[in-house]
Structure formats: structure tokens, C-alpha cells
Amino acid sequence: MMKRILFTLAVVALAIYAGAASAQQLSLAQISQYLNQLETAQGRFTQVNPDGSQISGTIYIKRPGRIRFEYDPPERSMVIAGGGQLAVFDPRSNTGPDRFPLNQTPLNVILQRDVDLARARMVTGQSYDGTYTVINAQDPDHPEYGGIQLVFSADPIALRQWVITDDLGTRTTVVLTELVEGVRIGDILFNIRAEMRKWGN
């Protein structure tokens, strides 16, 4: 009787473990739902550049369509997305920020109003390493804009990292830490024209 009870408990434990393990691998629907409910977030980031150098700073996200990277001194650079544009501020430039349409950058995949990763040709790869779910995504209508690799943890679902590959094949990694969701963030942080006035552009 005791052996039978122990055997039954072992089977139940294995079933629970298997269920927990399988629950860790996120589906595209789960990830899409997570991104769509992510309205605001603030935290720290470390950026690994193509040459291997690293810089850190503070990140602000306000979906849809808005993100702000403030790089720590002595960098003093800044990247802002807002109003359908992506602007790169460089203190060494005398000509104002470089500006691009946001929908022509890989960041638009996660900043668009309605994220649907199950859309045909949007996800080009998906993997799971036992801890993180990794997906590779792109604009299915314009793959020439580049792609973004997204890394998610589970329980609770959280975005941990992304790697952007631009139209030239250059890869830039952003690792997120201390990300707090649901914080109040003013719209002024994503106003490119207001930031240009502060920079004297």
C-alpha cells in the first residue's frame, strides 16, 4: 500500500512538474497579449553596441508609439520615439537630431497599437531554452527594415531583452533591468520638438 501511495505521489509530482515546465514556454498569443496590455514602463537598460562597447541609461515606455532612452553621463545622448517619428539626439551634432519614421524601424513591432505576432510572416523564428522564450520578428510587409529578437521570461511574463538588426545587418542589444510597469509617465518625455528646443535645435 505504501509503495502504491509513493508511486502515485511521484506520478502526480511529475505531472505537476511537466505542467509547470510546459507553462514556461510562451505562445505567440500570450506574448502579444502581454505587449498589448503593457501601457507604461520605466527602468534601466544596458546597450551592447555592434563593436562590443556598453552604455547604460534609463528607459521610458508609453505604448503605443512612444519610447525614450536617456543615456548616462558622459554620453548625454538620447533616443526618443513619439508622434510617429524616431529621433536620435547626439550632443556632438550641430544639425539637430537624426529623424526616421518609427514604422520603418524594428522597434515599431513592439510599439504599434495592436501587436499580433501570429500575423503571417511576422515571426521568423521562436525558441525556448528552458528559461526564456525567444522570438525573432519583423514587419511582414517590409522585412528590409530589419528585425528584432525579443526575449521574455514567464510567471509573470516580462520583456527582458531585445536585439535589433537594422537594414545593414548591424546588431544592437538592449538588456532591461528594474523595469516597473504601470508607472505614470508624462507625454512631454516623448515630445521630439520640445526636446529639440531644450537642445537648442
Side-chain angles (χ1 to χ4, degrees), residues 47-54:
Q47 178 175 307
V48 183
N49 297 314
D51 63 1
S53 62
Q54 297 185 20

Side-chain angles (χ1 to χ4, degrees), residues 60 67-68 70 80 185-192 195:
Y60 304 87
I67 197 167
R68 179 183 176 109
E70 291 182 0
I80 300 176
I185 303 175
D187 291 341
I188 191 65
L189 289 182
F190 312 97
N191 189 314
I192 294 173
E195 198 65 40

Side-chain angles (χ1 to χ4, degrees), residues 46-77:
T46 297
Q47 178 175 307
V48 183
N49 297 314
D51 63 1
S53 62
Q54 297 185 20
I55 47 178
S56 299
T58 301
I59 186 172
Y60 304 87
I61 300 172
K62 193 168 188 178
R63 297 186 65 262
R66 288 164 289 186
I67 197 167
R68 179 183 176 109
F69 300 87
E70 291 182 0
Y71 294 90
D72 293 339
E75 257 323 291
R76 297 199 313 111
S77 300

Side-chain angles (χ1 to χ4, degrees), residues 15-49:
I16 292 173
Y17 175 81
S22 63
Q24 298 297 306
Q25 185 170 6
L26 303 173
S27 68
L28 295 181
Q30 287 176 302
I31 295 173
S32 297
Q33 182 180 19
Y34 163 77
L35 290 173
N36 285 324
Q37 63 80 39
L38 180 64
E39 296 182 352
T40 63
Q42 177 180 339
R44 297 285 296 169
F45 73 91
T46 297
Q47 178 175 307
V48 183
N49 297 314

